[in-house]
Amino acid sequence: MIVAEAVGRALAACGVGTAFGVVGSGNFHVTNALVAGGVRFVAARHEGGAATMADAYARMSGRVGVVSVHQGPGLTNALTGLTEAAKSRTPLVVLAGEATEVQSNFHIDQAALATAVGAVAMRVASPEEAVSRAVEAYRVAVQERRTVLLNLPLDVQAAPFEGAVDVIPPATASAVPAVGEVAELARLLGAAERPVFIAGRGARHARRELEELAALAGALLATSAVAKGLFRGSPWDLDVSGGFATPLAAELIRGADLIVAWGCALNMWTTRHGTLVSPGVKVVKVDLDPAAFKTHVPADLGVAGDVARVAEALAAQVAPRTGYRSPEIAARVRAEGRWRDVPYEDESGGGRIDPRTLSIGLDDLLPRERIVAIDSGNFMGYPSMFVDVPDEGGFCFTQAFQSIGLGLATAIGAAIARPDRLPVAALGDGGALMGIAELETVVRLGLPMVIVVYDDEAYGAEVHHFGPHGHPLGTVTFPPADLAAIARGHGCAAVTVGGPGDLAGVAEWVDGPRDRPLLVHAKVTAEHGSWWLEEAFRGH
Ligand SMILES: Cc1ncc(C[n+]2csc(CCOP(=O)(O)OP(=O)(O)O)c2C)c(N)n1
Ligand SMILES: [Mg+2]
């Protein structure tokens, strides 16, 4: 056995389920060793796609994601996706060949690159540490929730490995909350008239615990965008807090006298630049990372610990009370709780469909057991707000870096994590064309995916940002592209939607064998920017 094989075998023994990558000479052996160890390998067409697939797979499966890339350009290609993962604290191990010989064309400072984007850099520096380093990379990923680059120098990779690949897989760690802080939060919950829970990424595993505590405290339930769907089915679910919040959710969150943020930083998106947090409201943050207590909206009280464990400890200390949960509020949540309950004027016409009407139409047509992935851009709120999801496992939002072009790969990784659900990729025309290298991957893997492109023939976010100020827009507008034909060329089914009537083509695909992915090329109306974007521009 050579070192590369020992590393791959060790990671497989840690419990890696699926790895994603683009294979070249520098990661050939390690990737094959993963496969020999029982890991499924998914070949992407671009390392950026591979990194984002692994990120989405990790988020939606709860397992560590693994990426395998060639030295140098293989790693630089992956960087945007790795940055997104690092910012999102996704547990990810990146295996990269490394050309340590400075004369090599492939040589770059790979460790510095990783550090620059918030990842942790490690290296297998000798054959002796092949297994221990691989296990340590996995441990840091899973226990510290980090994106870890494990550099594999080419000469070390090729050296013989003596010894056995004996591995004790590192387990997930979970911190025990401090008794005093929990008692203080119990006191606040016992005194609050209108408590609201806002759950974020760090609470996606804790639905049951939070619902039980909220029932005792009389709290209403909301999430950040990344945790969308967490409380679906609860009569007290306000859905997403922030720019995507319904008018009712915004009103009720603003009316809170206590906001408890669970694994949620309360950033500008979740709070609409702080405007959803009314003056004088008490703010508590429960987070594994105490650094989160002071960022964005600062907390009056911080409770360090795992969200589920803190909620469980509190449930034993909080006496049942009505709080915010009156029959009037329940009736309003029933009547106005979803975006599609909010009246609007359909602007479809002239061969273009209103993106709200499109999204509602898709929500009606697509099976409920779905997993929705969203790219970035002006369009992004329409699918986030009007296409419902069954639970937090039905929404994958890779937006921590605000990069466009990650949406399609996100949908692929999510689809692989949840093969029981219909994957839906919601993209702008700009993001779709940027990430289109992975369209062949969707077809090759036989994923029954629905890819919806909200096509305004522009970088709409920029058009609506600068257009109102009279700037020239030639750099951000494009002639029509026949995305349906491009998709058919890749082997997809495709429908072009220029009005509500054209959605019949989507219904036909849904009712058919779904043996090919479907691209919905929606020509959307674009007279004005979306309201959440206009609000964000005002915030800036
Ligand atoms: C990688 C990257 N490049 C550029 C940007 C700046 N940017 C933000 S939104 C956007 C336009 C996206 O266009 P499209 O996907 O068509 O969505 P739309 O805004 O038109 O709805 C651009 C270029 C970015 N966020 N990420
Ligand atoms: Mg566009």
Side-chain angles (χ1 to χ4, degrees):
M1 196 184 294
I2 59 172
V3 167
E5 291 165 320
V7 169
R9 289 284 185 161
L11 280 169
C14 284
V16 170
T18 306
F20 302 81
V22 175
V23 172
S25 57
N27 60 330
F28 182 84
H29 292 300
V30 72
T31 307
N32 276 349
L34 286 169
V35 173
V39 174
R40 178 182 180 190
F41 177 71
V42 175
R45 288 300 189 175
H46 190 288
E47 289 85 353
T52 298
M53 287 173 206
D55 182 358
Y57 167 83
R59 295 181 198 211
M60 294 295 120
S61 68
R63 302 177 75 168
V64 172
V66 169
V67 187
S68 173
V69 297
H70 188 70
Q71 61 274 19
L75 182 62
T76 55
N77 264 358
L79 271 188
T80 302
L82 296 184
T83 311
E84 168 64 34
K87 281 180 181 278
S88 295
R89 303 291 296 264
T90 301
L92 212 64
V93 175
V94 185
L95 298 167
E98 188 185 31
T100 42
E101 172 60 59
V102 290
Q103 313 300 335
S104 165
N105 293 89
F106 291 128
H107 173 76
I108 48 170
D109 188 344
Q110 297 193 169
L113 219 55
T115 313
V117 302
V120 177
M122 295 186 184
R123 173 180 290 130
V124 175
S126 71
E128 292 69 42
E129 60 182 47
V131 170
S132 62
R133 284 274 102 183
V135 174
E136 176 63 2
Y138 186 93
R139 187 198 68 73
V140 171
V142 71
Q143 291 187 356
E144 298 176 24
R145 299 165 297 119
R146 299 296 299 269
T147 291
V148 181
L149 169 65
L150 185 59
N151 282 315
L152 306 171
L154 299 180
D155 52 343
V156 180
Q157 277 199 57
F161 174 77
E162 318 286 349
V165 182
D166 280 334
V167 167
I168 301 168
T172 317
S174 114
V176 183
V179 176
E181 287 150 4
V182 170
E184 176 59 8
L185 178 49
R187 199 189 60 71
L188 290 173
L189 285 169
E193 299 293 330
R194 295 177 310 284
V196 172
F197 288 2
I198 303 180
R201 183 182 66 229
R204 287 182 65 245
H205 64 294
R207 173 184 177 140
R208 183 180 56 78
E209 292 83 356
L210 288 177
E211 274 204 313
E212 283 174 15
L213 178 64
L216 291 170
L220 302 183
L221 298 162
T223 68
S224 67
V226 268
K228 182 179 170 68
L230 184 62
F231 300 118
R232 199 61 86 248
S234 162
W236 309 103
D237 176 19
L238 302 180
D239 203 10
V240 175
S241 171
F244 299 164
T246 58
L248 178 69
E251 175 194 326
L252 295 175
I253 294 165
R254 283 199 183 103
D257 62 353
L258 172 68
I259 290 177
V260 187
W262 300 90
C264 178
L266 297 179
N267 68 20
M268 63 175 180
W269 302 107
T270 307
T271 61
R272 287 194 191 173
H273 293 270
T275 60
L276 295 184
V277 181
S278 296
V281 63
K282 274 250 177 293
V283 175
V284 181
K285 290 186 184 178
V286 180
D287 208 293
L288 277 176
D289 184 359
F293 299 157
K294 294 211 166 54
T295 55
H296 306 293
V297 175
D300 299 299
L301 172 69
V303 182
D306 172 75
V307 163
R309 298 185 76 169
V310 173
E312 240 166 21
L314 281 160
Q317 299 179 34
V318 175
R321 53 193 281 119
T322 305
Y324 219 157
R325 296 189 167 190
S326 68
E328 296 75 38
I329 297 283
R332 288 195 67 193
V333 173
R334 261 198 314 278
E336 320 162 39
R338 301 177 309 163
W339 264 108
R340 55 186 297 159
D341 303 326
V342 179
Y344 72 96
E345 209 166 299
D346 185 352
E347 294 170 1
S348 305
R352 307 201 81 89
I353 186 167
D354 187 311
R356 294 167 292 190
T357 307
L358 167 71
S359 306
I360 291 170
L362 293 170
D363 189 39
D364 289 337
L365 285 171
L366 299 177
R368 193 171 152 69
E369 281 300 308
R370 59 181 78 140
I371 185 159
V372 181
I374 312 272
D375 210 319
S376 203
N378 173 69
F379 80 96
M380 69 195 293
Y382 299 112
S384 300
M385 297 192 292
F386 293 95
V387 179
D388 199 15
V389 296
D391 55 35
E392 79 289 355
F395 195 69
C396 196
F397 198 66
T398 42
Q399 298 294 341
F401 197 25
Q402 274 180 241
S403 174
I404 67 167
L406 306 186
L408 184 59
T410 299
I412 296 172
I416 288 166
R418 291 299 301 263
D420 55 317
R421 292 197 164 169
L422 178 85
V424 180
L427 320 173
D429 49 310
L433 288 166
M434 188 178 278
I436 203 161
E438 303 306 343
L439 194 53
E440 185 272 345
T441 307
V442 179
V443 174
R444 173 167 37 90
L445 296 179
L447 300 174
M449 187 182 287
V450 176
I451 302 159
V452 187
V453 184
Y454 291 70
D455 183 9
D456 61 354
E457 291 147 25
Y459 293 147
E462 316 307 353
V463 167
H464 301 302
H465 192 167
F466 297 105
H469 304 290
H471 296 291
L473 298 172
T475 55
V476 289
T477 52
F478 295 87
D482 191 346
L483 295 168
I486 291 171
R488 285 191 200 102
H490 276 76
C492 298
V495 288
T496 301
V497 175
D502 296 329
L503 288 170
V506 178
E508 228 168 86
W509 181 89
V510 170
D511 294 338
R514 301 186 205 163
D515 53 357
R516 283 179 298 164
L518 173 70
L519 185 131
V520 181
H521 180 200
K523 293 177 165 287
V524 294
T525 55
E527 278 70 49
H528 47 82
S530 55
W531 58 94
W532 64 89
L533 200 71
E534 283 172 356
E535 205 169 59
F537 292 151
R538 273 201 302 276
H540 286 300

